[in-house]
Amino acid sequence: MEGDLEDCLLNKVDLRRQWISQMVEEVQKVVHHLTTEISYQDFRFQAIPYCDTYNENIKDPEGLQQWLGVEQFLKSPGQWHEADVNIEGDIVPAKVLQVFRKLVENAIETCHLSDRVHILMDHLVVRVVVETSAGQVELQLTPAVDIPTAWSKKAQWPSCLKRWPSPETVQCIKSFGFSLLACSSYHWQLSFLRAEQVLLEQLDEDGGCRRKCFQALRQMKEDVWCPGTRPVITSYHLQTVLFWTCEKYPYPKDWQVFSRGFLRLVRKLHKCVSQRFLKHYFVRKSNLLQYASSCELDALAQTLAFFLKDPQISLP
């Protein structure tokens, strides 16, 4: 990779960040407005001051599925015994989503947001389209249950003798616990959003270029390798590739040169796509490419192979 091509790519990354930040700010205000109204209507749901993210393009690997019983709640369990969300002591995601969808529909009307927010028809999950000054944004609103101060037994992490992340960071991450998402019919899906946020926030404490490499990888995925609204590879896949690569190359010296770090990520992505196998970073028995289209993965693997033979950047 030549220096001017690197500059071109990183300039594109900066423009994307500015564009995204504007949309995110507008969307967060709308989501906070809606969820505040929802919490007034039904106190079982709490308002969020910001928009948590979950990538709806990844179907649930079985290893990330879990039951949620009402006895797991230490406070006010009675509210979760109601038949609208409960079957024989189990809180059922499909029933929670049914209640939540109605609450979202009511909140859109009550908040007078019908001209800006439209709920999409879907057999299960709750998707809305938000009109922003930069264009339409499609969101999936997913009820979540936080399990603080505990760590999932399914997440056998970290492995022994790993130098990244540091023991202090590991301890910090585990102290935040995990979450369960209502995004399927009967099983709740494990989520480690806060843990992942901490890892991303502390990526370059040693002065490396991991974040720039990841942003460039995402830019190439979105613009060249895998564009579109329903890509076979999502930002969550790329984030997982980043974490695995950071674990394999833990030293600051490994992340001092942008081109080397970037191509290292591309090679890891190519290997995962070619093998149709990408382990979840925390629940390592789960393959995040388990339900991905084989044809699309094979086509992407070929595209990445061509790029690695001649790593020239051709942005639209």
Side-chain angles (χ1 to χ4, degrees), residues 70-77:
V70 72
E71 71 278 358
Q72 293 181 242
F73 290 88
L74 298 178
K75 296 180 180 179
S76 303

Side-chain angles (χ1 to χ4, degrees), residues 49-63:
Y50 57 91
C51 182
D52 283 346
T53 57
Y54 164 70
N55 202 308
E56 73 276 8
N57 295 310
I58 299 178
K59 296 183 180 178
D60 303 356
E62 283 79 2

Side-chain angles (χ1 to χ4, degrees), residues 7 80 138 178 195 304:
D7 292 339
W80 294 106
E138 183 178 326
F178 62 101
L304 292 173

